[in-house]
């Protein structure tokens, strides 16, 4: 411990802390911009580039950045002096002097951290009109938009992409005033090896990186009387969307979502959880098949599209490792435009499938050539949780006070196994529940495989199923995934099955979720809510979903059979 004096109060703080950490511990607020503590990964973006957190230290000629400066014995700090406050205001004014001031129509309006800082620091005028950057926006991808003119060089996206995700797409382009963060040579994002995980978007403080906004396409479809518009909602959305309406993180809002979607005018209100149960039918069968027929092991889950892009780009020699199952979002599109169309006597051409996903990569996934070549089995429009929240706001929907309702029949039933898809560890737990009963022929009484749960970046567990010990690995965050993949490549993997999700926490931490600013407590609350929803379900194993049983009886035939192969499985390309 060291003795310091902070804003006139003497105290002891841990040796090695930064001034900012000391301030946080004693409840003194110092504003920050570039600083980002990715607590769950033990990674801190500490570039000290924005100078928004400067404080005065007695005996020092200049103000010092509190995020990078460590405390020492006898240090006397003032974060509330005129000089310190003025220094912070100056830093923000300088950032604003060359920032585009189109706040009213900016995609980050009211969610921008620079705008919030200007408000917090009471900035009412920007005395200088600085030179502006004038770069083209990068609209090349289906997932994200890059606007270099709004980049404040905080480097948060770079840390996320390079250190957490190990994708190494982003770095400083150009020098000095001309600089911004982008891919090498400022190539189009679509031409880079970007996975579209959207984690850079999740941590960008301004609108330099945002999601592609598809909301107008949804409104247009809803306004088109020729179209029968069905919607699916992903597992993780239901435990996060409430945050956009000041509900506590982890509020479970499944019933309110169904009501809101009906009010917005959707003709069919359905659940991706339904097709997550369907995925388990196929994936558990595939796993058992691979185990019993000396197939390629380990088998890796394939429902996370950023993860799929990652292994296609970075591990092209391992394309036979992932399951061939399409993701639940894409399986939903395939069933909506075939089985549902048949049952409802609709022309698939007139059905528009909308997905509400916590994820930016789901937008790109829905446009993959092999998943769109048959227009009668695809997803048409993908929006994120955030876009959905904004749509409800513009429609004047009082979300927190909506009554609950159920999803529609045919593709609306789900089990607890599908709900847990939304968190890291959930997909493999769901598959294990089904594989256990199918392999042993016995009823699984305790469905809670708690050893597979948690938020550790890499987890492993052994589950005994009959006379077999099933070795399971789990990774979330692509940097963690890379470690397991390197082991497989080196022939050292001990696992039979591995679940990988690209985003920290799994889909609950997706790049399209309400901004959580790296706060792992929010992720924890969302995760708790997922397991709570699972616990409350009448059925908790995918193969007990009665609508899924009927779907196989009436339409698909056997799991992993020919029709299922044609509609529900895919392939990967390097
Ligand atoms: Fe996910 Fe999935 S769990 S990938 O995280 O397998 O996005 O929520 O919809 O498809 O079900 C996302 C979530 C989601 C799919 C499912
Ligand atoms: Fe990197 Fe993911 Fe952002 Fe692409 S979307 S630049 S992979 S963090």
């Amino acid at each position: 411990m060291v003795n310091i004096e902070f804003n006139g109060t003497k105290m002891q703080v841990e040796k090695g802390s930064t001034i900012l950490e000391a301030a946080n511990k004693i409840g003194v607020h110092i504003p920050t911009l570039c600083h980002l503590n990715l607590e769950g990964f033990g990674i801190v973006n500490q570039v000290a580039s924005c100078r928004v957190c400067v404080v005065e230290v007695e005996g020092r000629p200049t103000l010092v950045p509190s995020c990078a400066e460590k405390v020492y014995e006898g240090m006397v700090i003032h974060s509330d002096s005129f000089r310190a406050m003025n220094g912070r205001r100056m830093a923000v004014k300088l950032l604003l002097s060359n920032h585009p001031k189109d706040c009213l129509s900016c995609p980050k309006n009211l969610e921008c951290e620079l705008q919030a800082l200007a408000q917090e620091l009471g900035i009412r005028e920007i005395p200088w009109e600085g030179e502006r950057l004038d770069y083209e926006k990068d609209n090349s991808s289906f997932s994200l938009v890059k606007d270099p003119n709004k980049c404040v060089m905080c480097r948060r996206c770079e840390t996320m992409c390079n250190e957490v995700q190990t994708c190494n797409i982003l770095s400083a382009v150009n020098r000095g005033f001309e600089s911004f963060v982008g891919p090498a040579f400022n190539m189009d994002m679509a031409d880079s090896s970007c996975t579209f995980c959207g984690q850079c978007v999740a941590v960008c403080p301004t609108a330099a990186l945002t999601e592609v906004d598809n909301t107008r396409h949804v409104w247009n479809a809803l306004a088109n009387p020729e179209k029968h518009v069905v919607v699916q909602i992903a597992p993780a959305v239901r435990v996060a969307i409430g945050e956009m309406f000041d509900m506590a993180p982890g509020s479970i809002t499944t019933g309110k979502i169904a009501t809101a979607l009906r009010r917005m005018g959707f003709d069919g209100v359905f659940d991706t959880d339904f097709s997550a149960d369907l995925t388990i039918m196929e994936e558990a069968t595939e796993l058992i098949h691979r185990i019993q027929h000396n197939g390629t092991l380990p088998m890796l889950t394939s429902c996370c599209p950023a993860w799929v892009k990652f292994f296609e780009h970075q591990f092209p020699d391992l394309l036979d490792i992932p399951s061939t199952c399409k993701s639940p979002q894409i399986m939903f599109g395939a069933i909506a435009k075939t089985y549902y169309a048949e049952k409802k006597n609709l022309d698939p051409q007139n059905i528009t499938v909308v997905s509400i996903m916590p994820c930016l990569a789901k937008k790109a996934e829905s446009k993959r050539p092999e998943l769109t070549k048959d227009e009668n089995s695809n997803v048409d429009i993908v929006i994120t949780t955030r876009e959905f929240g904004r749509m409800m706001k513009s429609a004047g929907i009082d979300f927190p006070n909506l009554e609950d309702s159920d999803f529609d029949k045919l593709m609306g039933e789900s089990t607890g196994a599908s709900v847990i898809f939304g968190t890291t560890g959930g997909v493999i737990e769901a598959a294990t529940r089904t594989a256990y009963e199918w392999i042993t022929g016995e009823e699984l009484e305790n469905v809670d495989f708690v050893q597979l749960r948690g938020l550790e970046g890499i987890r492993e567990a052994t589950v005994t199923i009959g006379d077999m010990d099933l070795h399971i690995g789990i990774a979330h965050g692509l940097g963690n995934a890379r470690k397991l993949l390197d082991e497989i490549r080196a022939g050292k993997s001990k696992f039979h099955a591995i679940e990988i999700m690209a985003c920290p926490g799994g889909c609950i931490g997706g790049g399209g979720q309400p901004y959580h600013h790296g706060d792992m407590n929010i992720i924890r609350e969302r995760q708790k809510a997922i397991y709570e929803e699972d616990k409350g379900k009448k059925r908790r194993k995918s193969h007990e979903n009665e609508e899924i049983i009927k779907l196989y009886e009436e339409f698909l035939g056997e799991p992993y059979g020919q029709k299922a192969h044609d509609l529900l499985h895919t392939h990967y390309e390097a």
Side-chain angles (χ1 to χ4, degrees), residues 232-238 271-277 279 283 302-305 326-332 355-362 365 382 385 418-424 427 500-503 505-510 513 530:
Q232 59 169 322
I233 182 110
V237 177
R238 67 206 66 202
D271 199 351
T272 312
D273 288 13
F274 162 84
S275 46
D277 278 333
T279 303
E283 208 164 82
S302 57
C303 49
C304 167
K326 289 180 179 174
S327 73
Q329 109 139 331
I330 302 297
M331 284 196 186
F332 179 93
S355 306
I356 303 175
M357 296 280 140
C359 172
L360 268 60
K362 289 281 174 198
E365 179 188 44
V382 182
T385 312
S418 62
V419 176
I420 58 175
F421 264 59
T423 172
T424 166
V427 179
I500 293 181
M501 287 290 178
C503 293
C507 293
I508 48 175
Q513 293 279 63
I530 288 275

Side-chain angles (χ1 to χ4, degrees), residues 55-72:
V55 296
E56 194 174 352
V57 173
E58 283 188 15
R60 300 282 289 272
T62 56
L63 296 172
V64 300
S66 62
C67 67
E69 187 80 17
K70 300 231 164 97
V71 292
Y72 51 77

